[in-house]
Amino acid sequence: MIIEYLKKVRASETRTGKRMLLPLFFSLIVAASIWPAKAQAQIIGNLEANVPFQFHVGNNTLPAGRYIIHQLEASDLTIMEISSADGKLSALFSVESEEAKSTPEKTELIFNKYGDRYFLSKLFDEGNPDGNKLVASRDEKQASKEVGAEVAHIAAGHPQLRGK
């Protein structure tokens, strides 16, 4: 008699558990879909900067000069392009989201300097703590092992906003 009672209780618990599983699953899906996700950082429009030194971007070395940087549209915001103002030189590079320690007061490019070699490292837009960090190249990783890093900041701007 006790054994039959325990079997009935166990069968009832099993049915109740199965009935609860589906609503619980749907509740988790709804909660996950409305949970705010961290937005991917995005530089809006083109950035323009005058870089006064030779520098490295990915596996490319670029001379000092004026450059324009923008995100590639079909890249899921993970690939950017830097090109010389005259359009003769360009390079693609991978980026990740990066959050500044404090909200940047100006739009800028940040370079890591190892000895006399500069590597483009981060990009931030004025007033937006969410920016982009370049994926370190093999050359930069090697340079970082050899010498301690210094940081150089270069002011940048949005050419499409000039005159406003």
Side-chain angles (χ1 to χ4, degrees), residues 105-119:
E105 294 181 15
K106 61 184 177 183
T107 300
E108 65 183 354
L109 309 181
I110 300 172
F111 293 84
N112 288 334
K113 181 183 178 195
Y114 305 99
D116 62 348
R117 298 169 67 193
Y118 292 87
F119 293 84

Side-chain angles (χ1 to χ4, degrees), residues 70-146:
H70 69 276
Q71 299 234 348
L72 294 184
E73 291 180 23
S75 72
D76 195 26
L77 305 178
T78 60
I79 305 291
M80 296 184 83
E81 179 181 34
I82 184 167
S83 57
S84 58
D86 62 9
K88 291 182 180 178
L89 301 170
S90 69
L92 298 177
F93 56 95
S94 298
V95 293
E96 302 171 339
S97 255
E98 176 74 359
E99 190 169 335
K101 293 177 181 146
S102 62
T103 303
E105 294 181 15
K106 61 184 177 183
T107 300
E108 65 183 354
L109 309 181
I110 300 172
F111 293 84
N112 288 334
K113 181 183 178 195
Y114 305 99
D116 62 348
R117 298 169 67 193
Y118 292 87
F119 293 84
L120 182 58
S121 174
K122 298 176 186 175
L123 306 113
F124 285 103
D125 241 345
E126 175 183 343
N128 185 358
D130 295 322
N132 294 103
K133 175 177 83 170
L134 278 74
V135 175
S137 68
R138 182 179 32 194
D139 289 341
E140 182 173 6
K141 290 176 185 175
Q142 182 63 37
S144 70
K145 292 177 184 176
E146 298 168 3

